[in-house]
Amino acid sequence: MSSDFEVVWCGEGWRSLVNECHDELVARFPDYRFYGIKQKWGVLAFQARPRAGDSTDEERALVDRLTGRYQTASEAVCEWCGRPGSLRSEDAEWLTLCNTCAEDMKTTKYPSSRLIM
Ligand SMILES: [Zn+2]
């Protein structure tokens, strides 16, 4: 596990996705520029650029493809606990949760499930 991200601004359930995405980016772009990680419309948004300075359209497209794969992967992983989940909406809030966490959210402030990792 990468120690680069002691803190991520998304659910802990996505931590391994974030680490894998980071490792893949580093393998291709050792000096890649990190902008942020957040949950956007219920899915993982890993924002990065090939490097701080100039980059080609091709390189940016590759970064987008790579981070896009993890965004897609996050649609099937509970953001809270890391178990298999699905994208759900409640009013205007979009969240990717497993059934247990989604049930918990109806009655408690936050899910009681612990992280599986
Ligand atoms: Zn869960």
Side-chain angles (χ1 to χ4, degrees):
M1 180 151 127
S2 163
S3 59
D4 288 14
F5 293 112
E6 289 297 327
V7 178
V8 294
W9 288 270
C10 68
E12 284 291 313
W14 288 345
R15 182 177 278 271
S16 62
L17 288 176
V18 166
N19 281 323
E20 285 170 36
C21 187
H22 166 76
D23 289 346
E24 257 198 77
L25 280 169
V26 167
R28 184 66 184 75
F29 302 103
D31 301 317
Y32 92 86
R33 196 61 156 186
F34 171 77
Y35 284 107
I37 293 167
K38 58 184 182 178
Q39 185 252 63
K40 195 174 173 188
W41 301 112
V43 297
L44 175 65
F46 194 113
Q47 299 163 326
R49 304 256 297 173
R51 66 184 64 82
D54 291 340
S55 55
T56 66
D57 289 348
E58 203 172 277
E59 288 174 322
R60 286 193 297 277
L62 180 59
V63 167
D64 287 347
R65 265 207 311 282
L66 210 148
T67 56
R69 273 214 310 279
Y70 286 92
Q71 178 171 318
T72 303
S74 75
E75 290 172 21
V77 178
C78 177
E79 183 180 351
W80 189 268
C81 74
R83 291 178 179 83
S86 60
L87 190 57
R88 304 147 197 262
S89 68
E90 187 176 322
D91 299 322
E93 292 297 322
W94 288 84
L95 290 167
T96 300
L97 295 171
C98 66
N99 288 332
T100 306
C101 289
E103 276 304 309
D104 276 2
M105 290 285 269
K106 291 176 184 166
T107 54
T108 59
K109 288 190 186 66
Y110 51 84
S112 56
S113 288
R114 294 299 180 90
L115 209 60
I116 52 169
M117 283 156 273

